[in-house]
Amino acid sequence: MTVSRFRYLFDRYYSRQYTPEEKKEFMLLMEQSTHDEELKELLDELLRQADEDSSAMPDDTAANMLQQIMQTSNSEPQPAPVHRIAVWKRAAIAACVLGVLALAGYKLYVKSSTVNTAVASNHAPARKEEHARLVRGDGAVIDLEQHKDEAVDVQSGVSVARKGNTLAYNSSATITPTINTLYTNKGGTYQLILPDGTKAWLNAASSIRFPTAFTDSTREVTIQGEVYFEIAHQASQPFIVKANNMKIAVLGTHFNVMAYEEEQNICTSLLEGAVNIISGNTVRQIKPGQQALVNRDHRGISISNADVDAAIAWKEGRFEFNGNIKSIMRELARWYDVQFIYEGELTNKAFAGTFSRHDSLKDILQQLELTGSIHFNINDKTITVSP
C-alpha cells in the first residue's frame, strides 16, 4: 500500500523520529487545509488506539495540557506564534508530541464544541448582520442596509454605485467636493472605493471621513477604529491618513491601521510599499512586515516586526488572539456588540488562538474556559469575566 507523504511525516513527527527538514515540511503542510481530512483520519486512528488503552490520562490532566497549548505567560519572552495553523490543529500537534495518552486532550478539545459548560448559563446574543451608514456633508444620514445594490446620492446631483456591502465613488474633478463619513456599527464591516480608486475596508465600530472628490494637492482622510487600505498610486498627490495624533503619509501601498479609542496605542502594519509615520515632530518610515505603535499619551513611535497575517485577520473573517484577556474581550465586544465586566483578580497571561468570526460568541468563550484560568457568565448582552 502506498503511504502518502503527509501520513509519513505525521508518523515521523508523532514518533519524534523526524529530521529538522521533515519537521519544517510537516508544519508547512499543516498550514494548508488540503490535508485536514487526512489529519482527522489519522487522529481518529490514534484515538481508537487510546480508547483501548486503560491508561489514558484523566480529563483534568488533559485540561492542563490544553492550558499549555492555548496559554502563554507574559512574564517570559514569547516566540512568534504560528498564526496560520488553526487552534484544533495546534492541539493535535501537541497531542502528537506528547504521545498517545495525551490524545485525551484532543478529545476534550473536539468534545468541547458540542458539550454545554458553565458559560451557557444564558444564551449569548447572536451577531448582527453587516451594517453601515453614510453621513453626507449636509448632515443627511443614509442607512446603507436599506435598498442594497442601488445608487446612493452622496451630495446634491452626485450619485455613487453600491453593490452588497461596497460603496464605490467615481473620480470627478468637475464637482465641488463635500465631506462624507462612512460608519460601521458593532458587528459590521464595509468596503469603500474612494474617488481616486483607493480601496478601504472598515472593521466593526469604525469610521472614515473623506471628500467626495480629491481636488487638493494631497488626498486626506480621517479614520477611527480599524481600516485596511490599498492606496491607488498617484505620485503627484500623496495620500494622508489621519488618526488621532498621528498621520500616515503614502504614495501607493497596502497597510492596516488600528486606532480604536479604547486602545492605548495606534498600530500601523505595513504589507506592501513604504509609509511615513508622523507623530508631532517625529517622522519614522516603516517597511513591509513592520508595524509602528504610536502611544496616545506620549506620542512616541515604536517600530518592530509585525505579524501582518494576524493584523489583517479581521479582513479575512478571523480572530487571531495573542494577548491578555481584556484585549481579547475588547475585540469580541466590538464584533458581537456586548459588554464585558470584570470581577476578581484576572490572570495576566496571554491567550493565543484562532477562531472564525462566524463562530458563536458562546463557542469562543467555551474554548477560553477550557484553559481553566478564566470563566464567563452571560446575562443577555452583559458578560461577567472572573478567574
Side-chain angles (χ1 to χ4, degrees), residues 134-142:
L134 182 73
V135 178
R136 303 193 332 177
D138 60 5
V141 179
I142 301 172

Side-chain angles (χ1 to χ4, degrees), residues 134 150-154 158-162 167-170 180 212:
L134 182 73
E150 294 181 3
V152 176
D153 293 330
V154 297
V158 180
S159 296
V160 300
R162 175 181 50 173
L167 194 62
Y169 284 67
N170 299 312
N180 283 185
T212 54

Side-chain angles (χ1 to χ4, degrees), residues 92-103:
I93 292 173
C96 292
V97 174
L98 294 174
V100 164
L101 299 184
L103 285 171

Side-chain angles (χ1 to χ4, degrees), residues 105-123:
Y106 169 71
K107 288 192 285 186
L108 174 64
Y109 189 87
V110 174
K111 183 179 175 184
S112 68
S113 64
T114 56
V115 175
N116 292 327
T117 64
V119 73
S121 58
N122 284 301
H123 293 295

